[in-house]
Amino acid sequence: MTEDRDATNPRRPTKGAETVDSPHPRRVMSPHRAMFPVLVLGVLGCQNETPTDFGGDLVPTTPTTVEIDFDYQDFATGLALYGGYGNKNAFRFGGVLSYVAHDFEAAALNARTLIRFGGPPRGVVVQDTTGATVTDSTLTFLGGSMLVIVDTLQSTVSGATEIEFASLRTRWSSTSAGWTLAIDSVGESVPWGGPGADPADPVAVVTWDPAQALDTIRVTIDSATVARWTDTTDLTRGVRLSSGTSGSLVAVRGVALSVRARPASNPDTVVAVAVGLEDQTFIYDPQPQPRPGDIWVGGAPAWRTVFTMSVPETLDGPPELCAAVGCPLTLDPDFVTSATILLNTAPSPGSFQPTDTITMIALPVLAPERLPKSPLGAGFTDGVRLLPSYFGATGGIELRLPITEHVKALLSEPADGEAATSPTIALLALSEPSSLGLAAFAGPDGDTPPRLRLVLTIPQTVGLR
Amino acid sequence: MTPTRCVCVLLTVAAGGFGPAAATAQSLVGSGGLGVPIESVDSRARALGAAGPGLFGATLSQNDPGGMADIVLPMITATMQPTWGDYSRGAASGDLRGTRFPVVGIAYPFPGIGVFSASYGAFLDQRWAAERPGTFTIGGLPVAGTDRFESDGGVAQMHLGFARRITETVGVGVTVGRYTGRVDRSFTRTFDTASASSGVAPFEDADSWTYGGGHLTVGAVFDPIPQVRVGASLGWSGDLEADPGPDTEGGTLSFALPSVLRLGASGALTTRLMATVGIQLADWSNVDAVLDTTSSAGQTLGFGAGMEWGGPQFLGRSLPVRIGYRRLELPFGSGGPDPVESSLSAGLGFNLAQVEEFPLAALDFTLERGTRTDDPLEEKFWRATLTLKVSGR
């Protein structure tokens, strides 16, 4: 059926929608080719720039931002200090492994490094008298040398310092040895013959003079000493490093033992072989003695400060807050833009002044009733870097420890199946033990006790306008 | 429909398939009330300044149900509308850029019954942002900060329609549909980290609403003589319901949308020259009852006029040339008393394939130069509208 069309109005068919017998359509451009310019223009136009009014009056809401400081007694209770965390044999502070000190600074600190080497080399690869390469396990030890690498930046000496090398006589443990006990563990307690790993058989005394720009101390030892230091059947074996110069603190970065041996397969040859390090630790006296209310972080073994937070859930001030949003205000976690604990540094105990940066973090204490052995939760702050200069003679530097996420969690209801956030937090060093020095802060009874600073932003309800 | 045409349709739909609700980057005028209206018309109507009804020819338009009565072949149409421009409001100025998809649709005629259609078009755009500097006391010190409020979203409308010729001179149509869409609003206050104490994170607050509601449009075309056409449509809306998202306070809001009356007429001045005029009336006053502030302009009037010339022949095809003018009072503004949009337009039509006088595939292009004023806000824009229609059987 052919559709009629009105000659006077070619735009309108004379009948309704009826079938049109269409001749072959005349086509200028295939439709799908015509899409290309459409898509190109669309893509070009699809880059969006939202019109934005700047500085005008179109922002339909004006939330209130206010800062509130809480005194210690208004946000925390139960401050306690716990020590003994971390093993000194795992000490790694900026490359320093241990210390040697004698009558150092106000506390008259004494420190001694204890070292245990491994067994002698079992064989060496040499050329025998026929020229063949063999592994010779029949070695005659002729002697050796021990090398001590010193961290000159972390050391404090006033000039040439005597370093004493001695062989230990008492069975000892690197994980629990202290100034008076060689072994101090559950079920076993073995005292030194005398405090400070005494008695010990002197081996050598070497003078180290930092003015010569040397960072190594070398001592030559005889074959008998080599045999004694490498006899793995002897549990008393070990080397004690101590200082004979008053007022010195030497930081040890590393030790090494090299022995000279003659192989039986080629008696004319002397080889030098390294002996592995098995254990290293240091002992010191006196231990820092905290007073009630002290806030310490760091040290070796490390100290932790624990307290329990009690963030107010309703606010009755300050006046500018009440004027803006009305009081009392129920504190919603979404209002908390920032939560910070403000701490003021205090002089560290004598001889335990930090000598390098300590990073302090805060972690939730998951089982406060099990302190000091409570597990800790995941961190909620990136931590604060504590520079040694913060803990000078007078202290008084205000530092900020952000705990925003923790405060938000304290104010929030836990999700189904999740435990409530622990309000007890521990301040501690990022790695323990981290340094011989420890960071001290003014406690609740001091002139500048800790404070909690909240920055709150209270929104206005904005509907569709 | 041949496979080639099917691919073309898919590409067309793909180009326009992001949906009118994805319209972006429109106007600061949209900061008031329910946003900026987007007219669901194709490129030809835009070129002629038309509101919808009263144009010669078959159209698939949400504003002109009666115009669908003359559709004789199955048809798919998609319209894309990129916009570029700039704005100034007091000391603030900047660029605006974005792309709309005012309408995509499909129509299918059933001989002896009528024409059924389905379409999806934009209705209101609510995308804008505002920033404001501020000073706050943190750590006992003044700290600079910036407040930013951002609105993103809009309202679209889906239609199902039916039209038919009831006499040789009269066609009628009706569409029913539903409003859809969503708006997300967010507020962010950031603090100058260089001067603020550590750990002061930005404050963020966000709300969202999803839209729903029904509407009905009836329309008719009347051709008293072959050289004259008159068209009209009346759109009635139920309340636009805005349901808050899960983290949004408050209950459902209901906005009483106005009925919209559109009238248009076209006359063939010569066999190749046509003129058209049209008006649009709506009263948005009732929306104020629910808004936080009185934002509506009350009664709004839109007016448009245009001419279409059959144009030169190009590669054996006619190349219609169109010009037009349109002025529309906007229902909501950014604070000024009388927000208005006006534009001059020029357009071309290009039949890619046709049988007799029936275009099987046509591409219409329109370029507008317009302004929106809402004292002290002024926006100047270029707006291109492209419509691709593909028909077949």
Side-chain angles (χ1 to χ4, degrees), chain A residues 42-49, chain B residues 24-25 83-84 96-99:
Chain A
V43 169
L44 289 176
C46 276
Q47 300 172 42
N48 302 319
E49 256 180 273
Chain B
T24 56
T83 305
W84 301 266
L96 46 89
R97 184 186 307 177
T99 298

Side-chain angles (χ1 to χ4, degrees), chain A residues 135-156:
Chain A
T135 299
D136 192 336
S137 60
T138 306
L139 303 174
T140 301
F141 295 106
L142 305 177
S145 61
M146 179 177 169
L147 192 68
V148 177
I149 304 170
V150 175
D151 188 325
T152 55
L153 294 178
Q154 298 289 329
S155 300
T156 304

Side-chain angles (χ1 to χ4, degrees), chain B residues 105 239 316:
Chain B
D239 288 348

Side-chain angles (χ1 to χ4, degrees), chain A residues 36-78:
Chain A
F36 178 73
V38 174
L39 291 176
V40 168
L41 284 170
V43 169
L44 289 176
C46 276
Q47 300 172 42
N48 302 319
E49 256 180 273
T50 303
T52 304
D53 178 51
F54 292 97
D57 57 353
L58 293 187
V59 177
T61 176
T62 305
T64 300
T65 293
V66 65
E67 180 179 87
I68 306 175
D69 279 6
F70 296 89
D71 292 331
Y72 180 83
Q73 62 271 16
D74 295 328
F75 78 92
T77 58

Side-chain angles (χ1 to χ4, degrees), chain A residues 3 5 8-9 12 26 28 34-35 39 42 45-53 55 57 61 63 65 67 337 465, chain B residues 15 24-25 31 33 80 87 89 97 99 127 129 131-132 138-139 168 189 201 223 226 317 352-354 358 388:
Chain A
E3 185 180 47
R5 302 201 62 79
T8 60
N9 182 8
R12 183 171 69 82
R26 289 173 289 168
V28 175
M35 278 304 301
L39 291 176
C46 276
Q47 300 172 42
N48 302 319
E49 256 180 273
T50 303
T52 304
D53 178 51
D57 57 353
T61 176
T65 293
E67 180 179 87
T337 305
R465 52 188 285 268
Chain B
T24 56
S31 63
M80 180 186 300
Y87 65 92
R89 186 176 190 269
R97 184 186 307 177
T99 298
R127 183 178 173 103
E131 287 189 2
R132 175 182 64 201
I138 296 177
E168 286 192 8
R189 173 169 287 175
D223 305 319
R317 321 235 51 75
L352 304 175
Q354 71 180 48
F358 298 102
L388 181 66

Side-chain angles (χ1 to χ4, degrees), chain A residues 69-358:
Chain A
D69 279 6
F70 296 89
D71 292 331
Y72 180 83
Q73 62 271 16
D74 295 328
F75 78 92
T77 58
L79 185 103
L81 188 59
Y82 298 93
Y85 294 98
N87 288 317
K88 295 193 300 298
N89 71 334
F91 187 84
R92 299 289 184 274
F93 182 61
V96 174
L97 302 181
S98 62
Y99 294 94
V100 175
H102 180 50
D103 210 17
F104 179 67
E105 291 195 342
L109 177 71
N110 291 297
R112 293 172 176 179
T113 293
L114 306 180
I115 300 160
R116 191 190 341 256
F117 291 105
R122 297 186 179 175
V124 295
V125 177
V126 296
Q127 280 189 335
D128 62 14
T129 52
T130 68
T133 301
V134 298
T135 299
D136 192 336
S137 60
T138 306
L139 303 174
T140 301
F141 295 106
L142 305 177
S145 61
M146 179 177 169
L147 192 68
V148 177
I149 304 170
V150 175
D151 188 325
T152 55
L153 294 178
Q154 298 289 329
S155 300
T156 304
V157 296
S158 56
T161 302
E162 287 186 345
I163 303 299
E164 300 168 347
F165 294 74
S167 298
L168 294 171
R169 288 192 199 173
T170 308
R171 183 167 59 93
W172 61 285
S173 165
S174 64
T175 57
S176 64
W179 191 256
T180 57
L181 295 176
I183 298 175
D184 182 12
S185 59
V186 175
E188 187 174 21
S189 178
V190 177
W192 295 109
D198 273 341
D201 297 322
V203 174
V205 177
V206 178
T207 300
W208 173 60
D209 188 355
Q212 297 182 359
L214 297 174
D215 62 355
T216 58
I217 304 169
R218 182 186 297 272
V219 63
T220 300
I221 56 177
D222 58 21
S223 60
T225 304
V226 167
R228 184 174 176 180
W229 287 2
T230 61
D231 182 2
T232 56
T233 64
D234 181 4
L235 298 182
T236 70
R237 80 179 189 282
V239 185
R240 186 189 74 183
L241 302 181
S242 57
S243 171
T245 303
S246 182
S248 64
L249 174 73
V250 178
V252 177
R253 292 180 62 89
V255 296
L257 176 64
S258 173
V259 298
R260 290 179 295 113
R262 192 191 310 276
S265 58
N266 194 342
D268 294 335
T269 300
V270 175
V271 297
V273 185
V275 177
L277 176 67
E278 189 171 295
D279 273 323
Q280 178 174 349
T281 188
F282 67 99
I283 58 177
Y284 66 87
D285 181 77
Q287 300 281 332
Q289 299 299 319
R291 298 162 302 179
D294 275 349
I295 298 178
W296 287 357
V297 170
W303 296 88
R304 298 176 182 174
T305 302
V306 174
F307 57 89
T308 299
M309 295 191 61
S310 176
V311 181
E313 294 185 349
T314 57
L315 301 175
D316 291 306
E320 56 267 32
L321 173 69
C322 297
V325 300
C327 290
L329 172 72
T330 301
L331 194 51
D332 188 293
D334 291 337
F335 296 170
V336 180
T337 305
S338 167
T340 309
I341 293 180
L342 305 177
L343 298 168
N344 280 269
T345 63
S348 296
S351 305
F352 296 97
Q353 177 79 15
T355 56
D356 204 341
T357 303
I358 299 171

Side-chain angles (χ1 to χ4, degrees), chain B residues 333-385:
Chain B
S334 60
D338 300 305
V340 171
E341 175 180 309
S342 61
S343 63
L344 288 170
S345 55
L348 295 172
F350 193 60
N351 292 337
L352 304 175
Q354 71 180 48
V355 171
E356 300 292 343
E357 295 296 326
F358 298 102
L360 298 183
L363 184 66
D364 293 303
F365 174 78
T366 299
L367 187 64
E368 296 174 82
R369 178 59 173 170
T371 60
R372 274 186 290 264
T373 57
D374 183 27
D375 188 42
L377 171 68
E378 183 177 17
E379 299 176 347
K380 298 179 182 178
F381 59 87
W382 292 95
R383 185 163 56 199
T385 307

